[in-house]
């Protein structure tokens, strides 16, 4: 994938992924951090996914990262209940 394709993916999915992460974490800063981490992990994986599977791959990465943050919060005793 070239830079232009990655930029297009970012612009296409950033708002949806941010909303997904924000609904899970209830924290804007954590959601923004994990949004960027999703794209970094996607780039590092450098998979040749079919176009129709990219969204689901991003959502899976986002979910796993969010679970890690929630586990860390629970361990630290900072779980937020809403």
């Amino acid at each position: 994938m070239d830079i232009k394709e990655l930029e297009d993916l970012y612009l296409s999915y950033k708002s949806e992924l941010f909303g997904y992460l924000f609904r899970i974490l209830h924290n804007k800063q954590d959601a923004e951090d994990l949004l960027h981490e999703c794209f970094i992990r996607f780039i590092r994986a450098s998979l040749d996914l079919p176009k129709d599977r990219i969204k689901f791959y991003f959502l899976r990465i986002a979910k796993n990262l969010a679970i890690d943050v929630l586990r860390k919060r629970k361990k630290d005793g900072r779980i937020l209940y809403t």
Side-chain angles (χ1 to χ4, degrees), residues 1-10 13 39 42-43 46-51 54 58:
M1 230 179 235
D2 67 357
I3 299 295
K4 178 65 175 149
E5 288 176 321
L6 289 172
E7 184 179 317
D8 290 343
L9 282 176
Y10 182 78
Y13 293 114
F39 281 91
F42 180 81
I43 293 167
S46 66
L47 301 172
D48 290 327
L49 293 172
K51 297 280 185 197
I54 290 175
F58 275 126

Side-chain angles (χ1 to χ4, degrees), residues 18-36:
F18 176 78
Y20 180 70
L21 289 164
F22 186 74
R23 284 190 302 276
I24 294 171
L25 299 171
H26 304 285
N27 183 297
K28 183 179 177 183
Q29 186 63 45
D30 286 342
E32 288 175 356
D33 290 344
L34 293 187
L35 172 67
H36 298 296

Side-chain angles (χ1 to χ4, degrees), residues 22-80:
F22 186 74
R23 284 190 302 276
I24 294 171
L25 299 171
H26 304 285
N27 183 297
K28 183 179 177 183
Q29 186 63 45
D30 286 342
E32 288 175 356
D33 290 344
L34 293 187
L35 172 67
H36 298 296
E37 184 64 27
C38 284
F39 281 91
I40 290 169
R41 291 196 182 191
F42 180 81
I43 293 167
R44 285 184 183 161
S46 66
L47 301 172
D48 290 327
L49 293 172
K51 297 280 185 197
D52 63 330
R53 302 301 304 162
I54 290 175
K55 176 182 175 181
F56 301 109
Y57 190 73
F58 275 126
L59 290 173
R60 176 62 59 144
I61 294 170
K63 176 184 164 191
N64 290 338
L65 289 171
I67 288 170
D68 291 344
V69 167
L70 292 173
R71 285 181 182 152
K72 184 177 181 200
R73 283 183 190 170
K74 184 176 180 182
K75 181 180 174 185
D76 295 344
R78 331 180 262 134
I79 238 3
L80 301 175

